Amino acid sequence: MNTIDRFHSWRRKLRWDKQYKSGRWDLLKDESESVRYLTISEHIRTYGISNPDILALGCGEAILLDYLLPEDYNLFYGVDFSAISIEKAIKKQHFKAQFETNDVQLFEPRQKFDIIIFNEIFYYIMDSKKKPVLEVMKSYLNPNGIIIVSMFRERPECWDFFQRKDLHSVDFKTVESEVSDKYWKIGVFSKKLQD
Ligand SMILES: C[S@@+](CC[C@H](N)C(=O)[O-])C[C@H]1O[C@@H](n2cnc3c(N)ncnc32)[C@H](O)[C@@H]1O
């Protein structure tokens, strides 16, 4: 990343920290959000291998873990650039979970994963970094692994990044909450075997 991008990313990180500190993102614990986490947790069980190593990018406070049982995964590795959100995630003391404070645009995993999750994060990645981040993450996905992506409302310009020759769409649906106009599109992608 060049210096200007790093500066913008640092400013965004500070904004997220401030918002997590003020409790603004407590709204993610609302009942109306649960359908999103439930759908993702079902996708993990349905499409993931058993006992997977999971990488959650932009994991925030790791609310998703509240929807998983310890037997649903071998490792849950959460990454977020907001140190405040990671502190909150660590405090939960979830079994088999590890966390790292890092910018997903700079993050280089130290191992391969069976499931990589972009849960309400992909649209925050700088446009120039969306493709490279996906490339890096795809290279750390095990051959039979899956990528799960959730995005609030319509994000056609973001979903285009997942229309790739080397990715196969396994599941894609709109998930609605009880609140009017509050819905998500959630997709599951696997690596396509090259010809
Ligand atoms: C809407 S919240 C979603 C949190 C979590 N995935 C969830 O659904 O509960 C977006 C998260 O992305 C994180 N984020 C945004 N840009 C990021 C970046 N470049 N690197 C790491 N985390 C980032 C924010 O700090 C925030 O925790």
Side-chain angles (χ1 to χ4, degrees):
M1 253 205 287
N2 63 36
T3 314
I4 294 172
D5 284 350
R6 274 178 194 268
F7 173 71
H8 285 304
S9 192
W10 172 77
R11 275 188 32 182
R12 286 181 193 184
K13 174 200 135 41
L14 288 187
R15 201 161 55 223
W16 279 100
D17 270 343
K18 206 170 154 195
Q19 292 175 352
Y20 272 113
K21 218 177 247 174
S22 72
R24 171 166 171 193
W25 291 99
D26 285 352
L27 61 87
L28 295 178
K29 295 172 201 155
D30 283 357
E31 184 57 33
S32 62
E33 296 279 334
S34 64
V35 65
R36 169 166 61 89
Y37 296 109
L38 280 171
T39 303
I40 295 171
S41 60
E42 275 162 23
H43 283 344
I44 289 172
R45 293 182 196 110
T46 307
Y47 300 114
I49 63 158
S50 69
N51 217 23
D53 285 356
I54 299 173
L55 172 62
L57 298 162
C59 65
E61 297 176 45
I63 297 170
L64 178 60
L65 271 177
D66 302 340
Y67 292 78
L68 295 174
L69 298 168
E71 54 266 35
D72 287 330
Y73 57 95
N74 178 55
L75 167 69
F76 182 100
Y77 198 87
V79 179
D80 201 293
F81 68 178
S82 160
I84 305 294
S85 76
I86 292 294
E87 267 170 33
K88 292 185 183 207
I90 291 170
K91 268 196 195 133
K92 290 177 166 182
Q93 296 192 312
H94 272 287
F95 186 44
K96 298 191 280 189
Q98 292 174 30
F99 297 98
E100 176 173 335
T101 305
N102 207 341
D103 188 329
V104 300
Q105 300 163 136
L106 301 168
F107 171 64
E108 185 84 30
R110 282 184 291 275
Q111 65 158 86
K112 288 202 170 191
F113 289 89
D114 304 301
I115 302 179
I116 297 181
I117 303 175
F118 291 91
N119 183 9
E120 302 304 312
I121 160 92
F122 196 75
Y123 41 84
Y124 291 120
I125 296 171
M126 287 173 199
D127 284 345
S128 63
K129 294 288 162 209
K130 285 184 170 73
K131 191 165 182 256
V133 167
L134 189 52
E135 285 290 343
V136 170
M137 295 313 152
K138 221 202 75 208
S139 71
Y140 283 94
L141 186 67
N142 277 325
N144 52 357
I146 53 166
I147 297 175
I148 302 178
V149 188
S150 171
M151 292 195 244
F152 186 55
R153 296 205 188 120
E154 304 296 325
R155 297 279 176 176
E157 73 290 354
C158 288
W159 285 113
D160 286 351
F161 286 91
F162 294 87
Q163 306 304 317
R164 300 163 50 110
K165 280 199 188 110
D166 54 0
L167 285 182
H168 170 69
S169 174
V170 178
D171 196 313
F172 188 82
K173 63 175 157 227
T174 302
V175 176
E176 289 178 14
S177 75
E178 284 162 8
V179 176
S180 119
D181 218 23
K182 186 171 188 176
Y183 66 92
W184 301 266
K185 297 206 175 207
I186 301 184
V188 180
F189 302 89
S190 64
K191 269 188 186 176
K192 214 184 257 180
L193 294 175
Q194 298 296 308
D195 303 322

